[in-house]
């Protein structure tokens, strides 16, 4: 049975939101807290370890690994936007969050999603250059250009959602109950007492921009890569498969999570069991930060070898 401590007719002066999707699970909440904490610690350790490996190993100071480093930093950013508050709410009897903290979480979660998708799009273009233009790769994609790409995509994503936040933060609200485990932008806008036409139009524009801008280079890159694979040698196909598989798995996994989250926020999903809706609403914020270090860390031999060398070097220094 869900918490219903506050009616959705609260005045617009309310300084907090009620997160209504939490279920009463009794003492099982301690088990859920421990499982969630273990997942968060694993995300922190795995992503931080790979960032350290890339930064400390000179052989990995190449564009592809610079993009990966940005991806791992984003996993830490997105996870930190979700997990601390989620852990507090699991142990709490009253699931409330202050208004400023709620808007901060909205900004972190949505900018994380934009950075993730855009970063994966730039990585697909990098793979296209490496596979389809190997002789020109070192001139067309340098470390400095990679850093420029990363700076632009982070700036673009953060500014885009700062504008969204500035439009929504002053909205007078006629309620404070969010049917979610964490703060979501569309659910807050739905509580508005005033006309939200501007917010809705800008929201659709931002969703389209967030999807289409990365999608175009992804489709272009993989179309070219597939053409080269079908017409190229066996060695070219093997190289394409080995370098593109982790990226494709990450991209498809994240796209699935975002698609469900978009459908759940815009349409009535009450026909689905609440437990399933809860799990899928957290999918892109939990599975992606878990999957990326495993996929890129285990699948890419260069990172595996660099990790082993770093461990051996630390062990020998300790001895």
């Amino acid at each position: 049975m869900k918490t219903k401590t506050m009616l959705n007719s609260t005045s617009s002066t309310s300084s907090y939101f009620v997160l209504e999707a939490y279920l009463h699970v009794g003492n099982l909440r301690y088990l859920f807290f421990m499982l969630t904490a273990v997942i968060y610690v694993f995300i922190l350790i795995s992503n931080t370890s790979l960032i350290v490996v890339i930064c400390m190993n000179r052989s990995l100071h190449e564009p592809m690994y610079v993009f990966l480093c940005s991806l791992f930093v984003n996993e830490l950013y997105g996870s930190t936007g979700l997990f601390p508050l989620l852990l507090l709410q699991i142990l709490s009897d009253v699931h409330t969050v202050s208004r400023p903290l709620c808007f901060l979480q909205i900004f972190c979660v949505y900018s994380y999603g934009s950075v993730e998708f855009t970063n994966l799009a730039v990585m697909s273009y990098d793979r296209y250059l490496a596979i389809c233009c190997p002789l020109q790769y070192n001139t067309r994609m340098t470390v400095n250009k990679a850093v420029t790409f990363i700076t632009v995509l982070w700036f673009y994503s953060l500014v885009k959602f700062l504008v969204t936040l500035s439009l929504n933060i002053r909205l007078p609200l006629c309620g404070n109950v969010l049917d979610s485990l964490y703060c979501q932008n569309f659910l807050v806008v739905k509580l508005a007492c005033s006309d939200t036409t501007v917010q809705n139009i800008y929201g659709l524009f931002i969703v389209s921009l967030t999807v289409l801008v990365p999608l175009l280079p992804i489709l272009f890159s993989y179309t070219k890569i597939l053409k080269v694979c079908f017409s190229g040698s066996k060695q070219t196909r093997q190289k394409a498969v080995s370098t593109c598989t982790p990226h494709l798995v990450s991209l498809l996994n994240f796209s699935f999570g975002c698609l469900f989250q978009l459908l759940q926020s815009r349409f009535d999903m009450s026909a689905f069991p609440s437990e399933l809706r809860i799990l899928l609403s957290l999918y892109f914020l939990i599975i992606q930060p878990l999957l990326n270090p495993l996929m890129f860390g285990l699948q890419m031999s260069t990172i595996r070898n660099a990790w082993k060398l770093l461990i051996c070097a630390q062990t020998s220094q300790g001895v």
Side-chain angles (χ1 to χ4, degrees):
M1 184 177 179
K2 294 180 180 178
T3 306
K4 288 195 181 286
T5 57
M6 186 71 65
L7 294 175
N8 235 358
S9 58
T10 314
S11 71
S12 61
T13 57
S14 178
S15 61
Y16 62 90
F17 292 99
V18 177
L19 301 174
E20 200 188 22
Y22 286 89
L23 305 175
H24 289 295
V25 292
N27 290 331
L28 280 175
R29 64 183 173 176
Y30 299 108
L31 174 62
F32 292 139
F33 176 85
M34 289 301 297
L35 290 173
T36 306
V38 167
I39 291 171
Y40 184 40
V41 170
F42 179 81
I43 288 171
L44 291 178
I45 293 174
S46 58
N47 284 281
T48 303
S49 299
L50 289 170
I51 292 168
V52 170
V53 167
I54 292 171
C55 291
M56 293 187 66
N57 196 302
R58 288 183 178 275
S59 66
L60 299 182
H61 293 179
E62 297 177 4
M64 180 173 67
Y65 302 106
V66 174
F67 293 132
L68 281 176
C69 196
S70 170
L71 197 68
F72 299 142
V73 169
N74 193 47
E75 306 308 349
L76 295 176
Y77 170 65
S79 300
T80 303
L82 171 73
F83 278 95
L85 184 59
L86 184 64
L87 289 166
L88 287 173
Q89 295 296 334
I90 289 172
L91 289 181
S92 178
D93 292 319
V94 180
H95 306 295
T96 60
V97 57
S98 68
R99 189 170 171 137
L101 190 58
C102 187
F103 282 112
L104 177 61
Q105 185 176 55
I106 288 171
F107 175 76
C108 290
V109 168
Y110 283 77
S111 56
Y112 157 77
S114 179
V115 170
E116 188 82 4
F117 204 18
T118 312
N119 206 136
L120 289 169
V122 175
M123 287 173 67
S124 69
Y125 177 69
D126 175 71
R127 292 301 81 209
Y128 152 70
L129 290 178
I131 294 166
C132 302
C133 312
L135 299 179
Q136 304 167 34
Y137 178 77
N138 290 330
T139 55
R140 294 178 66 177
M141 183 61 75
T142 63
V143 171
N144 288 337
K145 286 181 180 178
V147 171
T148 303
F149 272 121
I150 289 167
T151 303
V152 170
L153 74 88
W154 275 85
F155 181 77
Y156 155 78
S157 298
L158 295 176
V159 169
K160 185 172 60 176
F161 285 103
L162 272 176
V163 175
T164 303
L165 206 62
S166 67
L167 286 173
N168 297 341
I169 204 165
R170 295 185 182 86
L171 279 175
L173 305 179
C174 290
N176 69 340
V177 178
L178 305 177
D179 187 17
S180 177
L181 296 178
Y182 57 94
C183 296
Q184 296 184 45
N185 184 63
F186 187 68
L187 295 180
V188 172
V189 173
K190 283 171 69 176
L191 297 176
C193 304
S194 59
D195 180 54
T196 59
T197 303
V198 173
Q199 283 79 6
N200 289 331
I201 292 173
Y202 183 75
L204 288 172
F205 170 72
I206 286 299
V207 169
S208 303
L209 199 64
T210 303
V211 172
L212 291 178
V213 168
L215 190 61
L216 294 175
I218 289 170
L219 292 176
F220 168 81
S221 299
Y222 276 103
T223 301
K224 295 291 186 180
I225 290 171
L226 284 173
K227 284 182 179 179
V228 169
C229 287
F230 284 123
S231 60
S233 63
K234 183 179 179 181
Q235 185 179 2
T236 303
R237 285 195 295 271
Q238 287 176 340
K239 180 184 177 182
V241 170
S242 63
T243 59
C244 292
T245 298
H247 179 265
L248 269 175
V249 171
S250 177
L251 181 62
L252 292 173
N253 176 73
F254 187 69
S255 299
F256 167 76
C258 289
L259 178 63
F260 183 84
Q261 185 57 27
L262 185 63
L263 291 175
Q264 184 169 247
S265 65
R266 297 281 173 170
F267 301 102
D268 181 18
M269 307 290 283
S270 57
F272 292 88
S274 58
E275 292 82 1
L276 178 64
R277 283 187 283 122
I278 287 171
L279 287 173
L280 289 176
S281 71
L282 294 170
Y283 185 91
F284 82 106
L285 288 167
I286 293 180
I287 303 301
Q288 190 73 2
L290 282 172
L291 181 69
N292 277 344
L294 292 174
M295 285 300 301
F296 291 106
L298 296 177
Q299 290 291 323
M300 300 184 73
S301 58
T302 48
I303 294 181
R304 280 203 316 271
N305 295 335
W307 175 249
K308 289 175 184 176
L309 286 173
L310 185 62
I311 294 295
C312 292
Q314 293 296 324
T315 304
S316 61
Q317 286 178 8
V319 175

